């Protein structure tokens, strides 16, 4: 899966951008504030329906424009086109796939699998479990096709159970019915996640070994409720305390990935550069597993690759990317930081973004 054409309009300072990326490595360089991250942000919105910089897509619309429109075409026979549009007047993101309007974001996500590695990447280790759960479910979603419909049932059962808990006067039959539903589908989600994790773990360990051999680092999947009891039992026994809290405290909605170094949370022990490498190993492993199971490739967005990494680790990172046959969009302030890291045979295209005096940015392809 690779993008061979991008056309953006009204995206921050990239008011009018046309880009013909290489199917493999694309290096985008430019001064601070020139528009490098915005370019990655545009691809992210195209494939994920949201930005990684803001929760409000209206901020992404160029100050002088009334909307942004992003279009991408992917190599396939026939080509797969994707488009999204957001106007100031509406809070909705209009989405198109293969020329047809689509209403479900999962359709875009499925068409354009994206992995982002940016200077905030360490938050995956440091932040709340929701980011790690999202990472886990990205993997499960792309390789286990039944995931989405089961997850929707879990969410629905959870929503109803929580509403009953908050309601105060609980009708036991209704509560039992939703608990049964949650237990059945929650078990299924756990099984899918476990199966994915068993395949993921060796790929992650291999990737980490190539990037940053760290003895004592462990990755564990935690399902979100007591290991020794069934979810059905846990829900029944937790009724009173859940009622006091007003929500369901245990279940698949609390799943997590535990990353530890010699039994301590990895984030407490690792340096910033090491954290970036561990997170990079997690994200590269996602793509490698996707390739090995589905023969599909994800598109990597790597913002400021050289930041925090020494020359040797930059080289290892780039070698892994090269081996993966995936498409990557890599930004760097200094293009020289990524010289001499690619094999001669790898297709690399260089782009330069320039911020002009009128506030607009221009993208130039370099020979
Ligand atoms: N809604 C907007 N409309 C127009 N310009 C915007 C908007 N939002 C941000 N900008 C400008 O867009 C420019 C591009 O920012 P971006 O973060 O993409 O730069 P960058 O090249 O990644 O910089 P750095 O190297 O510092 O990370 C900035 O100059 C910023 O002021
Ligand atoms: Mg930036």
């Amino acid at each position: 899966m690779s993008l061979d054409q991008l056309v953006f309009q009204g995206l921050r300072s990239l008011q009018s951008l046309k880009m013909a990326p290489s199917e493999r490595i694309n290096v985008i360089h430019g001064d601070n504030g020139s528009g490098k991250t915005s370019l990655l942000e545009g691809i992210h919105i195209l494939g994920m329906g949201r930005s990684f910089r803001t929760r409000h897509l209206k901020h992404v619309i160029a100050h002088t424009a009334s909307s942004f429109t992003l279009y991408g075409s992917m190599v396939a026979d026939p080509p797969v086109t994707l488009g999204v549009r957001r106007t100031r007047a509406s809070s909705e993101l209009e989405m198109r796939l293969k020329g047809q309007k689509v209403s479900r974001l999962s359709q875009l996500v499925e068409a354009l699998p994206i992995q982002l590695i940016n200077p905030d990447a360490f938050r995956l280790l440091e932040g709340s479990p929701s980011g790690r759960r999202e990472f886990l479910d990205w993997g499960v979603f792309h390789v286990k096709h039944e995931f989405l419909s089961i997850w929707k049932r879990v969410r629905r059962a959870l929503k109803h159970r929580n509403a009953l808990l908050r309601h105060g006067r609980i009708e036991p039959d209704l509560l039992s019915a939703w608990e049964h539903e949650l237990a059945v589908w929650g078990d299924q989600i756990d099984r899918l996640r476990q199966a994915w994790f068993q395949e993921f773990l060796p790929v992650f360990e291999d990737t980490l070994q190539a990037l940053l051999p760290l003895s004592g680092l462990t990755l564990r999947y935690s399902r979100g409720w007591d290991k020794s009891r069934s979810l059905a039992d846990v829900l029944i026994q937790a009724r009173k305390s859940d009622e006091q809290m007003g929500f369901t405290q245990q279940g698949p909605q609390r799943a997590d990935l535990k990353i530890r170094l010699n039994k301590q949370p990895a984030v407490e022990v690792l340096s910033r550069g090491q954290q970036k490498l561990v997170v990079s190993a997690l994200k590269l492993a996602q793509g490698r597993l996707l390739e090995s199971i589905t023969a599909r490739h994800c598109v990597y967005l790597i913002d400021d690759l050289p930041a925090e990494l020494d020359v040797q680790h930059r080289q290892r990172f780039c070698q892994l990317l090269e081996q993966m046959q995936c498409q990557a969009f890599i930004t760097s302030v200094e293009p020289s930081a990524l010289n001499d890291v690619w094999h001669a045979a790898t297709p690399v295209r260089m782009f330069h973004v320039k911020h002009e005096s009128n506030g607009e940015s221009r993208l130039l392809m370099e020979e």
Side-chain angles (χ1 to χ4, degrees):
M1 287 276 139
S2 64
L3 290 155
D4 62 352
Q5 204 194 349
L6 289 168
V7 181
F8 293 173
Q9 232 135 40
L11 179 91
R12 298 196 190 263
S13 64
L14 299 170
Q15 310 226 356
S16 173
L17 171 131
K18 275 196 177 144
M19 181 181 191
S22 148
E23 63 185 315
R24 296 297 315 285
I25 308 293
N26 297 279
V27 176
I28 301 119
H29 69 94
D31 295 341
N32 294 132
S34 58
K36 303 179 296 294
T37 303
S38 308
L39 174 51
L40 304 192
E41 188 181 25
I43 302 171
H44 195 272
I45 298 170
L46 196 56
M48 310 274 280
R50 60 181 169 78
S51 165
F52 53 84
R53 291 215 275 197
T54 171
R55 285 153 55 106
H56 305 288
L57 283 180
K58 64 171 187 266
H59 298 311
V60 178
I61 303 173
H63 298 315
T64 51
S66 55
S67 64
F68 68 70
T69 307
L70 314 174
Y71 167 88
S73 143
M74 296 175 75
V75 182
D77 190 17
V80 173
T81 58
L82 298 123
V84 296
R85 180 162 184 267
R86 166 74 156 80
T87 64
R88 282 193 197 281
S90 149
S91 59
E92 222 183 283
L93 185 71
E94 290 169 35
M95 302 179 283
R96 285 181 170 270
L97 181 64
K98 299 179 193 170
Q100 305 289 318
K101 246 187 163 162
V102 291
S103 55
R104 282 182 291 124
L105 186 57
S106 55
Q107 291 172 277
L108 289 190
V109 176
E110 197 179 358
L112 179 58
I114 284 178
Q115 280 293 329
L116 168 77
I117 301 174
N118 68 356
D120 276 353
F122 63 90
R123 285 194 207 283
L124 191 66
L125 302 181
E126 187 187 75
S128 71
S130 63
R132 290 182 293 279
R133 208 158 38 240
E134 196 180 298
F135 173 84
L136 163 76
D137 286 341
W138 186 100
V140 189
F141 170 79
H142 282 286
V143 300
K144 312 267 180 208
H145 292 296
E146 58 277 46
F147 172 79
L148 191 62
S149 62
I150 298 177
W151 183 239
K152 281 184 183 161
R153 288 170 186 262
V154 168
R155 267 210 326 240
R156 181 160 164 261
L158 196 58
K159 200 174 110 199
H160 282 281
R161 185 176 189 268
N162 285 343
L164 286 170
L165 292 172
R166 278 195 301 271
H167 201 252
R169 224 183 52 247
I170 289 176
E171 293 169 48
D173 287 353
L174 209 50
L175 189 65
S176 291
W178 287 117
E179 277 175 359
H180 175 73
E181 184 84 0
L182 181 54
V184 167
W185 298 110
D187 265 339
Q188 297 271 345
I189 281 290
D190 173 45
R191 258 183 232 138
L192 289 181
R193 284 171 170 166
Q194 269 189 50
W196 172 86
F197 184 74
Q198 272 173 16
E199 293 175 296
F200 179 75
L201 186 60
V203 182
F204 166 66
E205 287 173 346
D206 184 69
T207 311
L208 188 68
Q209 182 64 26
L211 209 51
L212 173 79
L214 262 182
S215 66
L217 190 114
T218 55
L219 177 68
R220 193 169 63 77
Y221 161 65
S222 154
R223 67 179 182 173
W225 70 93
D226 196 327
K227 272 199 293 233
S228 56
R229 289 188 300 154
S230 72
L231 182 54
D233 277 355
V234 165
L235 292 173
I236 291 169
Q237 284 178 18
R239 272 183 190 174
K240 244 202 160 48
S241 105
D242 283 355
E243 205 184 327
Q244 278 163 1
M245 298 298 286
F247 65 92
T248 306
Q249 297 173 81
Q250 293 189 65
Q253 77 285 5
R254 302 299 293 269
D256 197 359
L257 290 173
K258 307 272 188 203
I259 306 157
R260 296 181 167 261
L261 187 70
N262 299 321
K263 305 214 166 108
Q264 290 187 42
V267 70
E268 306 283 347
V269 196
L270 298 176
S271 73
R272 196 46 80 82
Q274 288 175 321
Q275 289 179 33
K276 177 162 170 171
L277 288 163
V278 170
V279 172
S280 300
L282 284 164
K283 298 202 168 188
L284 293 172
Q286 277 277 28
R288 293 176 79 188
L289 184 64
L290 183 75
E291 280 184 26
S292 75
I293 296 181
T294 66
R296 298 179 74 214
H297 305 283
C298 56
V299 171
Y300 278 90
L301 308 178
I302 306 170
D303 201 12
D304 206 355
L305 187 149
E308 322 264 14
L309 302 185
D310 59 39
V311 175
Q312 191 196 17
H313 286 107
R314 270 178 222 166
Q315 267 167 353
R316 289 187 185 175
F317 189 122
C318 293
Q319 267 168 21
L320 275 169
L321 266 182
E322 276 186 320
Q323 287 162 11
M324 285 172 62
Q325 308 293 319
C326 60
Q327 185 177 39
F329 293 81
I330 302 168
T331 74
S332 170
V333 175
E334 291 297 336
S336 57
L338 295 171
N339 279 351
D340 310 324
V341 290
W342 312 110
H343 285 119
T346 305
V348 179
R349 213 166 274 175
M350 304 284 291
F351 296 88
H352 184 195
V353 237
K354 266 181 127 162
H355 203 208
E356 314 245 293
S357 52
N358 62 1
E360 295 188 19
S361 295
R362 272 202 310 143
L363 181 82
L364 307 160
M365 194 171 102
E366 296 180 335
E367 292 306 320

